[in-house]
Amino acid sequence: MNVAAWAYPAFEVVHIVGIALLFGGLLIFELCLLGRAPALPLPALARLTLPLALVGFGLCAATGLAMFSTQPGELLGNAAFRLKLLLIALAGLNAGLFHLRGGSGRADRWGRAQGLLSLGFWLAVIICGRSIAYV
């Protein structure tokens, strides 16, 4: 990444595209899970939105690791970065539990609570990511 002046900004752009795909796909799915569009079948919507969210996560993970490799010591010393990693782990755990419980086929009270948690975790991840430069 230190080879070309444009490399790090290019990775940041791809990281932001990944965030848009991840959070955008989850937002649509979670809003449906919360009953905002009852006419849409949740399993069909999941087949459309969740793969986009996974692609977004993959882009974020790949570009995030590449950017991390340029300054690991500084980032590991940053409280916002460490909180971001914890929140990503909690979001992943929440998603895993959601799918173990039956995923989009289980839009019960607990599933809706997990949807709200998911949105909260990912929004907090985005906030922490932006805060890294200022902490």
Side-chain angles (χ1 to χ4, degrees):
M1 281 240 242
N2 297 332
V3 175
W6 55 264
Y8 199 92
F11 273 78
E12 285 181 325
V13 168
V14 176
H15 198 73
I16 291 168
V17 169
I19 292 167
L21 289 171
L22 170 63
F23 192 74
L26 289 177
L27 180 63
I28 292 168
F29 176 76
E30 309 295 7
L31 287 175
C32 258
L33 178 66
L34 294 168
R36 301 303 292 175
L40 295 174
L42 201 54
L45 188 65
R47 286 190 301 276
L48 174 66
T49 59
L50 297 184
L52 289 175
L54 286 173
V55 167
F57 180 79
L59 288 174
C60 286
T63 56
L65 285 170
M67 290 186 293
F68 171 78
S69 72
T70 66
Q71 50 190 340
E74 183 179 330
L75 286 170
L76 289 173
N78 186 297
F81 179 76
R82 290 191 313 270
L83 180 57
K84 178 181 176 177
L85 293 181
L86 173 64
L87 290 165
I88 291 170
L90 291 172
L93 180 62
N94 182 53
L97 291 173
F98 178 79
H99 290 287
L100 280 175
R101 291 186 63 250
S104 61
R106 274 272 329 238
D108 58 3
R109 180 178 285 187
W110 180 242
R112 290 189 300 274
Q114 286 182 286
L116 280 174
L117 274 173
S118 174
L119 289 176
F121 283 142
W122 287 111
L123 187 57
V125 165
I126 293 167
I127 291 167
C128 286
R130 288 301 311 137
S131 300
I132 290 170
Y134 307 104
V135 174

